[in-house]
Every structure is written in C-alpha cells, then in structure tokens.
Amino acid sequence: MMNKEMIYEGKAKRVFATDHEDEVLVSYKDDATAFNGEKKGTIVGKGVVNNRMSNYLMKILEEKGIPTHYVKELSERDTIVKKVDIVPLEVIIRNKACGSFSKRYGVKEGSELKCATLEFSYKNDDLGDPLINRFHALALGLASEAELTEIERLAFLVNETLIAYFQTIDIELVDFKLEFGRYHDSIILADEISPDTCRLWDIHTHSRLDKDRFRRDMGNVEEAYLEVYRRLGI
Ligand code: UDP
C-alpha cells in the first residue's frame, strides 16, 4: 500500500490509488477553506476528527440500509473507501433555516421550517457551486432522473438517521451537505459527514460546534471539533 500514486488533492483531503482497482485511500488534512477557497486556515486535529467521525456515522448509516463508500479505517487520518464516480451535485438537507438559505429567503437563522428541505448545488469551483434545480441538472446531463430520485430518497433517509443519532448526544442537526457517487450500477453515499459539512448546534445552548466558527471567526474552532468528537465517544 506504500508510495501509491496520488490521484487527487482537494481542499481537505488527498486521494491515493491502492492495489485494488475498486478502492482508493483517502487521507484527511487539517487544512480548512471557506467561501470557495477565499478564506484559508488550519484547524489542528480536524483531519483526525473528520476521518473518524465520518467513518463512525457511515457505519451507523450502513446498519440502516444506506449504502456508503466506507470500507476500512487504516489510521486516524486514513481510510479505504470504494472508488466512485462522484455525481457533480452537492446535496443539501436543512432542518432549520441557516446560512445561504436564511440570506436568500430573508429568514432568521435558527427559524423552524415546516418540513425538512433539499436543494442541489452544481459542484463547479469556477462557477462557485451555484444553486441548481432538478430540471437544470437533468438538462446538463449531470445525473439521470432515476439517479436524482434515488439521491433524494437516500438523503432524506440519512437525515432521519442522523437527527435521531445526534439527539442522543445533545446535538441538533441544523443542516448538512452530502455527495453521492456511482459505484458499478448503483448510487452510494460518498465524501464525508463531519463538522466541515454539517451545522451542529448544542441542543441546550445553541452554541455552534461546526465550521461556522472558522467561517465567521467565532473562535474556539478546534475546541468545537473536539467537543463533537468527545460526544461521539469513539
Ligand atoms: N456545505 C458544505 N460545503 C459547501 C457548502 C455548504 O459542506 O461547499 C454545508 C454547510 O456546512 C452547511 C450546509 O452545507 O452545513 C448548508 O450550507 P449553506 O448553503 O447554508 O452555505 P453557507 O452558508 O455555508 O455558504
């Protein structure tokens, strides 16, 4: 497994080839970016928290029948995952208004929604990941109708499972982003589930335990990641 070719380097992870053509090794970094790469920094220990947390949650999701890319954790920062062809859509689920949703629709952060909601962004750094609807995604050939339907079904299932799980550790799941991939003939959950990709609020104090602390220069960024990690008990 040593000295394998790096096939991709992203903002927060590096991806390496393995001896198995259907699998890749993902290595989590401490580098943090926000606002499409405009803001850069380091969150010490983030790679470890995100790797271990994501793996732990993917295992819970697998138990609920949701297919994921998770294969095997190799070390605190490295994991073997199934090699997928990523569907170029960010799938965002919201349980309460926050962030870009609050801004776009003029609703206070933390306001209740009548129901959980889903939106897509087109994964394209040059364009700044613009909001995209189902028809546009189909028209651009980003995914098929059957794939979009399956992605939506799985995303809401992930939401139900994660809401229930986070409740047990006194965390409210405000919103989160998922990415899906094609693996052979099916759609599976890929990428990560971590404080980088979720808004996690303490149930009692509403204190933010996620990347908003970095995005908004709120301080105690490392402490927030570690607090989530501590509550997971892994
Ligand atoms: N998110 C993400 N990556 C992105 C954009 C958003 O992981 O490139 C997550 C973000 O952490 C939040 C949710 O998706 O949990 C909704 O983000 P929003 O659209 O409100 O964007 P923001 O306010 O961060 O610009």
Side-chain angles (χ1 to χ4, degrees), residues 90 92 94 98-100 175-177 196-199 215:
E90 295 195 335
I92 294 168
R94 300 177 191 273
C98 206
S100 67
D175 59 27
F176 58 99
K177 185 263 301 180
D196 273 14
T197 64
C198 302
R199 284 198 169 96
R215 292 189 189 101

Side-chain angles (χ1 to χ4, degrees), residues 93-136:
I93 293 268
R94 300 177 191 273
N95 295 306
K96 276 193 168 171
C98 206
S100 67
F101 184 96
S102 286
K103 223 173 170 177
R104 184 176 312 116
Y105 301 119
V107 282
K108 211 170 139 244
E109 291 203 308
S111 4
E112 300 283 345
L113 300 175
K114 303 267 187 232
C115 56
T117 183
L118 180 153
E119 78 218 34
F120 296 115
S121 293
Y122 176 24
K123 256 176 81 72
N124 183 318
D125 282 340
D126 294 339
L127 301 175
D129 298 342
L131 186 67
I132 188 168
N133 73 27
R134 214 176 193 281
F135 295 102
H136 290 179

Side-chain angles (χ1 to χ4, degrees), residues 53 57 61 91-98 110-113 115-117 154-178 192-204 206-210 228 231-232:
M53 173 171 173
L57 295 177
L61 294 171
V91 182
I92 294 168
I93 293 268
R94 300 177 191 273
N95 295 306
K96 276 193 168 171
C98 206
S111 4
E112 300 283 345
L113 300 175
C115 56
T117 183
L154 291 173
F156 281 113
L157 262 177
V158 169
N159 189 37
E160 304 224 323
T161 306
L162 291 185
I163 288 176
Y165 172 70
F166 279 121
Q167 237 160 33
T168 68
I169 55 170
D170 282 358
I171 287 175
E172 182 177 5
L173 180 62
V174 172
D175 59 27
F176 58 99
K177 185 263 301 180
L178 300 174
E192 66 178 278
I193 307 172
S194 70
D196 273 14
T197 64
C198 302
R199 284 198 169 96
L200 305 169
W201 291 5
D202 180 90
I203 276 184
H204 305 291
H206 293 158
S207 127
R208 294 178 192 241
L209 302 172
D210 56 56
V228 176
R231 290 192 197 186
L232 293 167

Side-chain angles (χ1 to χ4, degrees), residues 217-233:
D217 297 318
M218 297 168 77
N220 295 320
V221 186
E222 274 100 0
E223 289 78 359
Y225 278 70
L226 280 176
E227 176 60 18
V228 176
Y229 190 63
R230 190 188 66 73
R231 290 192 197 186
L232 293 167

